[in-house]
């Protein structure tokens, strides 16, 4: 197979094309850099730009938020490490935080949130507030708001309709213990890997498959190296727009309030973009050559549930059971 050279957005180009600068307000007193993994077309990026716009407006340009897509500021785990040291200001992150905060695993429990409404109920309710407090205390990262994620689906170059079809398949997963253990229980051979390495690894055969929401499958052009979208819909989750606790504590109370207000506006805007995108994504990917394959979701869910509970930290197992039990 002829190897296709991938072109990545450079840091300078990302800043030029995608950073928001409050030039109309004059020189900023504080600059916050926000890096994330998605590209410029993704709803997370558009939500981030809206956040930057609102921050500039609410602070009369005193605070500038620069947005860096495409991992151009660094990989997710590296950004989180930087936030803990105070060398990175902001990122968009979710279940990867469980490497520090066990309760962050609750963001993405396989087959726990089978509707967007139920996910919102949990994320914005007492359980969500408890997760945020745990992340702040243990990861030194402060969620400002959350963005929705479409359900994760499994892509491969063959149809996978039941857990039996997963035998020995080399599957890329995020560096999330719960994901690793669940896919092992389902029969796959999960391989933790940074998202920025997925395309090349699929292309050269290091891995056979990966799982992500349709938005990332499209924005990362995985349709060029994967033929099938197997509709496992195994995880519906949310992800945080987050700031380093060190950076947060340097801001005045008034500026903290401004960031929270801007985040609230960004969340509403991002949700509108997200919903519009979700209705179009399957058609878009089909037009680009991918085939959508219905799967036995019940079989996946039943086999995954025990693994989810067994691999979860003991102090969050009762919460997971509660979430499963209250699923509409």
């Amino acid at each position: 197979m002829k190897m296709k050279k991938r072109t990545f957005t450079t840091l300078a180009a990302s800043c030029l094309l995608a950073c928001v600068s409050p030039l109309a307000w004059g020189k900023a007193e504080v600059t916050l850099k926000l890096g994330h993994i998605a590209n410029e077309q993704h709803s997370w990026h558009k939500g981030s730009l809206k956040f930057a716009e609102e921050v500039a407006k609410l602070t009369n340009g005193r605070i500038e938020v620069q947005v860096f897509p495409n991992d151009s500021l660094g990989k997710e785990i590296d950004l989180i490490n930087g936030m803990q040291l105070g060398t990175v200001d902001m990122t968009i992150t979710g279940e990867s935080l469980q490497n520090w905060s066990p309760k962050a695993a609750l963001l993405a429990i396989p087959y726990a949130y089978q509707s967007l409404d139920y996910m919102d109920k949990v994320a914005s309710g007492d359980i969500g507030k408890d997760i945020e407090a745990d992340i702040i205390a243990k990861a030194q990262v402060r969620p400002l708001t959350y963005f929705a994620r479409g359900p994760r689906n499994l892509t491969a170059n063959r149809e996978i309709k039941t857990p039996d079809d997963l035998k020995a398949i080399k599957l890329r997963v995020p560096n999330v213990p719960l994901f690793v253990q669940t896919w092992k229980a389902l029969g796959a051979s999960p391989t933790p890997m940074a998202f920025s390495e997925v395309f090349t690894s699929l292309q050269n055969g290091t891995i056979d498959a990966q799982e992500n929401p349709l938005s990332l499958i499209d924005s990362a052009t995985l349709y060029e190296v994967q033929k099938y979208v197997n509709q496992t819909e195994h995880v519906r989750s949310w992800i945080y727009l987050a700031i380093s606790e060190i950076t947060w504590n340097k801001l005045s109370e008034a500026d903290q309030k401004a960031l929270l207000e801007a985040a609230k506006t960004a969340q509403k805007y991002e949700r509108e973009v997200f919903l519009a995108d979700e209705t179009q994504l399957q058609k878009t990917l089909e037009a680009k050559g991918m085939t959508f394959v219905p799967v036995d979701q019940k079989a996946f869910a039943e086999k995954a549930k025990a693994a989810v509970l067994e691999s979860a930290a003991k102090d969050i197992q009762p919460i997971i059971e509660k979430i499963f039990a209250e699923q509409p």
Side-chain angles (χ1 to χ4, degrees), residues 95 104 122 125 133 150 153 193 221 266:
E95 61 270 12
V122 175
N153 286 287
M193 180 184 296
T221 67

Side-chain angles (χ1 to χ4, degrees), residues 248-263:
W248 176 258
N249 288 330
K250 291 179 181 178
L251 299 174
S252 68
E253 186 176 342
D255 286 343
Q256 291 176 351
K257 183 178 179 181
L259 261 63
L260 289 171
E261 185 175 343

Side-chain angles (χ1 to χ4, degrees), residues 20-22 25 28-34 47-67 90 144-145 241 243 248 251 254-266:
V20 171
S21 177
W25 304 102
E29 297 174 7
V30 176
T31 298
L32 303 178
K33 294 184 178 181
L34 194 172
S48 297
L49 294 181
K50 185 66 173 178
F51 172 74
E53 177 187 322
E54 290 297 311
V55 168
K57 184 188 303 181
L58 292 168
T59 64
N60 294 318
R62 287 185 302 96
I63 300 179
E64 174 187 7
V65 178
Q66 297 178 346
V67 183
M90 298 187 68
L144 297 179
T145 191
L241 174 65
I243 188 169
W248 176 258
L251 299 174
D255 286 343
Q256 291 176 351
K257 183 178 179 181
L259 261 63
L260 289 171
E261 185 175 343
K264 185 177 180 179
T265 300

